[in-house]
Amino acid sequence: MKAVIIPLTLALSSLVITPAQAEPRHGVASHYIQGEGDVKGIKLAYQYYVNDYLPEQFSQFDVYFETSINFWRYGKDNQHDQNVVVALSPVFQYPMTTFKGRPLVLEFGIGVSLLDDTQFAGKNVSTHYQFEDRVGVVYKMENADIGVRYMHYSNAGFKSPNPGLDFISFSYTHFF
């Protein structure tokens, strides 16, 4: 299963295409993730902004696709559980206010993810396929963002049990 995860991440990131005349905006992000209990992890992500595809009535939104790989760990050094997750999420950002002259935005999205192991952190999440839900606040700087997000992984009740996994994410994104 792990041999499939990295090629799948690269394939998912190639699904997003920009118009020839557009100036694409790309970002790479790293997240520190803290989950319930003793779950810790990192998330490495590639962001691809697609604002040129939106109808004019949504011009205040920024929209990007995020392809990511997550490395989660639960437990102590000698007895730990780990999981690897790949995800693809469309994400919407809406300006709330400014702080020190820079935008502070509300972010939300629902994507799909593939977990390496359905048994993690003492939970049976039933399916390898999960939804990745997020809501957060992001501070936008010149060529970077910092953000805090609540993230929830769940199979939306397609199969029981469905306890879900909850995380808080602290992130830094650099744009190029």
Side-chain angles (χ1 to χ4, degrees):
M1 180 69 135
K2 288 183 182 179
V4 172
I5 289 178
I6 291 176
L8 179 62
T9 301
L10 295 173
L12 289 174
S13 67
S14 69
L15 292 176
V16 182
I17 303 168
T18 61
Q21 75 277 11
E23 281 290 325
R25 185 171 185 204
H26 308 267
V28 290
S30 59
H31 300 241
Y32 169 74
I33 298 172
Q34 179 67 53
E36 55 192 286
D38 194 25
V39 177
K40 294 177 175 57
I42 61 169
K43 176 178 183 171
L44 305 173
Y46 168 73
Q47 297 175 353
Y48 196 88
Y49 282 75
V50 293
N51 294 344
D52 293 332
Y53 291 110
L54 295 178
E56 189 162 325
Q57 60 265 37
F58 294 103
S59 64
Q60 287 188 312
F61 285 89
D62 273 340
V63 178
Y64 66 88
F65 283 91
E66 180 179 83
T67 304
S68 64
I69 185 164
N70 297 258
F71 302 96
W72 300 342
R73 187 175 181 155
Y74 173 75
K76 303 295 179 208
D77 289 336
N78 294 334
Q79 294 183 337
H80 66 272
D81 190 8
Q82 50 193 25
N83 213 337
V84 178
V85 180
V86 294
L88 175 65
S89 295
V91 181
F92 296 84
Q93 293 181 328
Y94 186 79
M96 294 187 311
T97 188
T98 59
F99 177 72
K100 295 192 176 195
R102 304 298 304 170
L104 189 63
V105 300
L106 174 66
E107 179 178 280
F108 54 93
I110 298 175
V112 293
S113 64
L114 176 64
L115 280 66
D116 181 41
D117 192 353
T118 60
Q119 305 285 325
F120 180 70
K123 293 184 177 185
N124 175 6
V125 296
S126 298
T127 61
H128 290 279
Y129 300 98
Q130 302 278 310
F131 290 96
E132 178 189 77
D133 306 334
R134 73 175 70 199
V135 63
V137 176
V138 176
Y139 182 64
K140 299 179 114 10
M141 298 175 284
E142 180 95 17
N143 290 314
D145 288 353
I146 54 173
V148 61
R149 296 168 181 83
Y150 164 75
M151 302 188 78
H152 176 75
Y153 292 81
S154 154
N155 69 28
F158 287 118
K159 187 173 179 186
S160 292
N162 183 31
L165 297 163
D166 297 306
F167 298 91
I168 296 293
S169 161
F170 301 96
S171 68
Y172 173 81
T173 305
H174 177 76
F175 295 103
F176 55 95

